[in-house]
Amino acid sequence: QSALTQPASVSGSPGQSITISCTGTSSDVGSYNLVSWYQQHPGKAPKFMIYEGSKRPSGVSNRFSGSKSGNTASLTISGLQAEDEADYYCCSYVGITTSLWVFGTGTKVTVL
Amino acid sequence: QVTLRESGPALVKPTQTLTLTCTFSGFSLSTGGMCVSWIRQPPGKALEWLALIDWDDDKYYNTSLKTRLTISKDTSKNQVVLKMTNMDPVDTASYYCARGRLAGRCDAFDIWGQGTMVTVSS
């Protein structure tokens, strides 16, 4: 099972909106509405940000939103803030006959 | 409050077996729908899911590592153990345990441990 494809880096100025793509296949992202997103600051554990493609857990800012179209999921950060500078990973369920879960390649978000 | 904490050796030699323990609190692995996964991250690289064990003692593995991995649980101790055989320098990574989202029957990883760094070197 290959990793989902994410852009290596995305940048934006404070207050702007950015979108991170997560491209898979019809066997993973395209087959299940089970994409989740994680934020990871340097030296820290990942933090749970989005589940089922577009739902936010309690405590996550509404500046973070998720969506999916076909085999590509996306994470949008609106009103970009300095604290949003981090690595972001998508993750998709891929079924019990394979490796169950596959992560994306990761995206470094830089706030200019 | 839900917490998870990984423990194990910081350094292992090539060909040795790695044993990692995830000790958790704030939930029980005997609760229906509950699960715990192990996930690793080599330095500067992406996350990789390794294994999952659920409340019913069902176990799932990354197919590319399946022959080397064994996951188990001790519900009475609130622990999940991962064993990885035949360690190689490419297995050098931070190893995390994470709880599966209960409401979603483990459809995402909602709480993570701080991770433990394992270096494989002779």
Side-chain angles (χ1 to χ4, degrees), chain A residues 34 48 51-52 55, chain B residues 31-35 99-108 110:
Chain A
L34 292 175
F48 178 44
Y51 66 98
E52 292 181 3
K55 299 177 182 178
Chain B
T31 300
M34 195 65 72
C35 70
R99 189 186 75 163
R101 194 178 76 93
L102 176 60
R105 307 289 273 192
C106 299
D107 66 349
D110 64 352

Side-chain angles (χ1 to χ4, degrees), chain A:
Chain A
Q1 184 69 42
S2 299
L4 307 175
T5 301
Q6 299 180 233
S9 63
V10 174
S11 62
S13 299
Q16 286 187 329
S17 293
I18 61 169
T19 296
I20 302 167
S21 61
C22 169
T23 302
T25 68
S26 57
S27 298
D28 40 61
V29 175
S31 285
Y32 307 97
N33 195 28
L34 292 175
V35 173
S36 51
W37 288 89
Y38 303 87
Q39 175 192 65
Q40 187 180 34
H41 287 107
K44 300 294 186 180
K47 176 187 175 184
F48 178 44
M49 303 298 285
I50 295 285
Y51 66 98
E52 292 181 3
S54 62
K55 299 177 182 178
R56 276 187 311 275
S58 173
V60 172
S61 171
N62 59 10
R63 298 186 299 104
F64 292 85
S65 61
S67 63
K68 192 186 89 165
S69 177
N71 298 336
T72 298
S74 299
L75 175 71
T76 297
I77 309 174
S78 58
L80 199 61
Q81 298 180 1
E83 67 210 49
D84 300 331
E85 185 161 299
D87 293 326
Y88 291 82
Y89 293 93
C90 61
C91 181
S92 176
Y93 179 74
V94 297
I96 63 173
T97 59
T98 58
S99 286
L100 212 60
W101 299 100
V102 64
F103 280 93
T105 51
T107 298
K108 169 66 177 177
V109 168
T110 300
V111 181
L112 302 171

Side-chain angles (χ1 to χ4, degrees), chain B residues 6-112:
Chain B
E6 306 86 352
S7 59
L11 179 66
V12 297
K13 296 184 186 321
T15 76
Q16 286 187 335
T17 294
L18 170 69
T19 299
L20 295 173
T21 301
C22 174
T23 303
F24 55 86
S25 63
F27 68 97
S28 173
L29 244 186
S30 60
T31 300
M34 195 65 72
C35 70
V36 171
S37 279
W38 282 95
I39 295 154
R40 72 177 179 179
Q41 184 176 38
K45 296 188 177 182
L47 299 164
E48 179 182 32
W49 177 79
L50 298 176
L52 177 151
I53 189 165
D54 70 14
W55 81 99
D56 208 22
D57 209 34
D58 290 323
K59 301 161 187 175
Y60 303 89
Y61 298 99
N62 183 313
T63 53
S64 65
L65 295 167
K66 185 173 184 175
T67 60
R68 300 173 55 206
L69 296 173
T70 303
I71 193 169
S72 61
K73 65 181 173 71
D74 186 331
T75 305
S76 65
K77 293 183 179 178
N78 281 350
Q79 291 182 333
V80 171
V81 173
L82 181 75
K83 293 184 185 292
M84 180 179 288
T85 61
N86 194 24
M87 292 293 285
D88 183 273
V90 300
D91 296 313
T92 293
S94 289
Y95 287 77
Y96 297 95
C97 59
R99 189 186 75 163
R101 194 178 76 93
L102 176 60
R105 307 289 273 192
C106 299
D107 66 349
F109 314 108
D110 64 352
I111 308 293
W112 295 61

